[in-house]
Amino acid sequence: MPRYQQIARQLKTAIEKGELKPGTRLPSSRTWSQELGVSRSTVENAYAELVAQGWLTRRGQAGTFVSEQLRLETSPATPAVFAGENDTPQLFQMGLPALDLFPRDIWARVMGRRLRTQTRFDLAVGDVCGERLLRQAIVDYLRVSRSIECLPEQVFITSGYAASMMLILRTLAKPGEGMWVEDPGFPLIRPVVAQESVVLMPVAADADGLDVSAGIRDYPQARFALLTPAHQSPLGVALSLARRHQLLEWADRAQAWIIEDDYDSEFRYHGKPLPPLKSLDAPQRVIYAGTFSKSLFPALRTAWLVVPLTQVAHFRQQAALTACSVPVLWQQTLADFMRDGHFWRHLKRMRQHYAQRRQWMDSALTEQGFSVVPQEGGIQLVIAVAGDDNALVRKANQAGLAVQALSRWRITSTGQGGILLSFTNIRSAEMAQQAAYQLRLALT
Ligand SMILES: Cc1ncc(COP(=O)(O)O)c(C=O)c1O
């Protein structure tokens, strides 16, 4: 086989395997010929052959590119327009805020200002519990947005929910102690709990949130109750006020700890939220866990805990062993961003966008005949389905749609099947319609 054909075949294979993505610029024939030790015309001939076959396109001075057209023609396995490239989220991908709407210019400005004005002391290791400035900004935010009264000493900055959980359990748990967890509930935290030798005790969640009576009946000896009261993950219901009081009474009586995961309560579109457990925590049994992953962006890897005053010294001791791993510059930037009012403005703007995007997705799914479960807030949707949701989700995943099966979030509970999906990165009504259509197509 002539050398130019060998080169053409190699390129074609790389494109077919997805190693060379549509839109990728190829090296100039001069560079390539030098690299390969062949004449320039050999490379030119290889390119020409692939251009003729539609694999490559030439764009004058700009060079030779892998054809964009391929993106539109790929099999349903990599859906048109939404192909999961590194810089675009997969369609319906959960756990992500709207990446297109984060005010990156403001963030860069705030960080740049910090970087220029940092003192030499800022180059040293920061406070093991987190920067004072950020902890104060979180205190101010929680007071206004969640009616939680606390002191900066009670706030501990961590690098995410898993790190928060490890800090809690290493401070408070003994091996073999038990923890109520919501069933269905967020699956990714379970291995973290299990790794700390704490026993998972599944308690059903229903239309009023975690069934506290069932927890007391089945696992009265539990030392921890982990739950998402504002907006149960994934069902989206709120823990009723009666159950909030029942849970607090149990925790006080049993000397157990409640871990309130308030991961996305910023996003509520109707009505007033119920008060967080932490704001009702007269007995000092609640550990509140917040995160910036949904309200800002997950790559920030910044979350926080508010612990009871009585436990501050213990948490501090434990935190000193690992020290806060969020860089000081990040924390200071975040604190400035909050203090300058950008955080509030961003949340307000995102609530409007999410309400809109949710409505686009909800309507588009309904038009395609899906039954969307009504929810008060949050950044995901659940579609109720009959039969085996795993089989359906497998089909959708094969079509490149990053939906999840509700039954995968269950531990022992049984019940209605569901498809979980996120709408945050749905940027227009048309995109919602196309996405809903693709889902319908994948499932039939
Ligand atoms: C239920 C729940 N809690 C907490 C988190 C936050 O995790 P992190 O702060 O590690 O991003 C998530 C993120 O997806 C979540 O779904």
Side-chain angles (χ1 to χ4, degrees):
M1 189 189 288
R3 189 75 175 104
Y4 83 91
Q5 280 188 353
Q6 290 173 18
I7 296 172
R9 184 194 272 194
Q10 269 177 353
L11 272 172
K12 194 173 140 193
T13 309
I15 296 171
E16 279 173 336
K17 283 188 180 162
E19 291 162 8
L20 278 174
K21 302 235 180 320
T24 308
R25 185 176 178 278
L26 294 179
S28 72
S29 56
R30 183 198 302 274
T31 312
W32 241 45
S33 60
Q34 282 166 358
E35 284 295 312
L36 296 175
V38 298
S39 75
R40 208 171 147 191
S41 60
T42 304
V43 177
E44 280 294 347
N45 286 343
Y47 281 4
E49 178 150 315
L50 294 180
V51 169
Q53 293 173 5
W55 293 96
L56 301 181
T57 48
R58 294 202 196 274
R59 290 193 215 145
Q61 291 289 323
T64 306
F65 294 79
V66 178
S67 174
E68 286 280 0
Q69 197 57 29
L70 295 172
R71 195 197 298 275
L72 304 172
E73 287 168 3
T74 38
S75 66
T78 43
V81 205
F82 308 121
E85 289 177 26
N86 290 339
D87 56 349
T88 40
Q90 270 193 300
L91 194 51
F92 297 132
Q93 192 175 329
M94 290 178 59
L96 277 184
L99 301 183
D100 57 321
L101 296 174
F102 184 71
R104 295 169 59 172
D105 48 344
I106 299 176
W107 180 258
R109 210 166 57 230
V110 174
M111 184 175 269
R113 192 180 64 207
R114 250 304 156 182
L115 196 51
R116 285 191 301 277
T117 54
Q118 272 192 325
T119 70
R120 62 176 182 275
F121 300 108
D122 290 324
L123 304 183
V125 174
D127 188 323
V128 292
C129 309
E131 291 306 294
R132 178 85 189 183
L133 212 59
L134 178 56
R135 296 157 83 199
Q136 181 66 57
I138 290 172
V139 167
D140 295 341
Y141 165 67
L142 290 177
R143 183 186 311 113
V144 177
S145 82
R146 314 292 290 132
S147 309
I148 292 174
E149 285 296 337
C150 60
L151 298 170
E153 288 72 20
Q154 291 173 262
V155 179
F156 289 75
I157 308 296
T158 74
S159 62
Y161 185 41
S164 290
M165 184 59 73
M166 284 194 275
L167 178 57
I168 296 172
L169 296 183
R170 287 177 189 185
T171 307
L172 297 176
K174 293 196 197 69
E177 287 181 339
M179 179 187 287
W180 296 357
V181 288
E182 293 166 317
D183 184 5
F186 185 53
L188 298 184
I189 201 62
R190 293 182 210 142
V192 179
V193 174
Q195 187 154 317
E196 296 302 316
S197 304
V198 167
V199 181
L200 296 163
M201 300 170 159
V203 178
D206 58 26
D208 282 332
L210 181 93
D211 186 346
V212 178
S213 301
I216 296 173
R217 183 191 65 221
D218 297 341
Y219 305 109
Q221 77 284 20
R223 266 278 280 174
F224 299 90
L226 171 62
L227 69 168
T228 48
H231 181 239
Q232 205 273 336
S233 175
L235 300 176
V237 297
L239 185 71
S240 69
L241 200 56
R243 285 191 182 174
R244 283 172 200 245
H245 288 297
Q246 190 187 9
L247 185 66
L248 285 161
E249 275 163 27
W250 165 76
D252 192 21
R253 213 172 41 245
Q255 289 296 287
W257 298 107
I258 298 168
I259 304 172
E260 176 170 32
D261 174 11
D262 208 21
Y263 67 110
D264 75 348
S265 62
E266 288 86 2
F267 303 115
R268 197 183 159 92
Y269 314 108
H270 319 280
K272 236 184 119 45
L274 290 165
L277 287 165
K278 186 69 200 161
S279 71
L280 308 170
D281 185 25
Q284 295 277 302
R285 304 306 304 177
V286 180
I287 298 150
Y288 177 94
T291 177
F292 290 110
S293 288
K294 311 289 190 253
S295 54
L296 294 176
F297 56 97
L300 199 52
R301 300 316 311 138
T302 309
W304 73 87
L305 291 177
V306 181
V307 312
L309 260 181
T310 52
Q311 300 303 313
V312 166
H314 288 137
F315 273 82
R316 207 171 220 308
Q317 265 175 5
Q318 182 59 42
L321 299 179
T322 45
C324 177
S325 59
V326 184
V328 170
L329 177 63
W330 259 159
Q331 295 189 53
Q332 292 173 330
T333 304
L334 195 38
D336 292 348
F337 191 84
M338 294 174 88
R339 287 196 319 174
D340 293 353
H342 300 304
F343 188 57
W344 282 113
R345 274 192 288 281
H346 179 57
L347 286 182
K348 186 164 170 237
R349 195 169 151 249
M350 295 314 291
R351 268 184 215 117
Q352 289 163 359
H353 280 288
Y354 285 158
Q356 172 77 86
R357 290 181 174 195
R358 197 166 89 125
Q359 196 237 314
W360 283 334
M361 204 60 246
D362 192 327
S363 310
L365 288 167
T366 309
E367 259 171 46
Q368 288 294 332
F370 290 110
S371 156
V372 180
V373 180
Q375 297 201 14
E376 294 283 329
I379 56 171
Q380 58 207 36
L381 287 176
V382 185
I383 299 171
V385 294
D388 180 4
D389 54 9
N390 273 314
L392 291 174
V393 162
R394 219 172 299 123
K395 282 197 208 171
N397 291 163
Q398 276 163 6
L401 308 175
V403 296
Q404 296 186 25
L406 174 57
S407 57
R408 279 285 161 94
W409 289 46
R410 293 188 187 279
I411 309 175
T412 56
S413 68
T414 51
Q416 169 100 54
I419 295 179
L420 311 179
L421 57 92
S422 163
F423 55 81
T424 49
N425 285 285
I426 298 293
R427 298 185 300 276
S428 65
E430 295 72 41
M431 187 174 175
Q433 282 155 7
Q434 191 173 352
Y437 174 69
Q438 287 193 29
L439 185 61
R440 163 59 57 216
L441 209 62
L443 301 188
T444 44

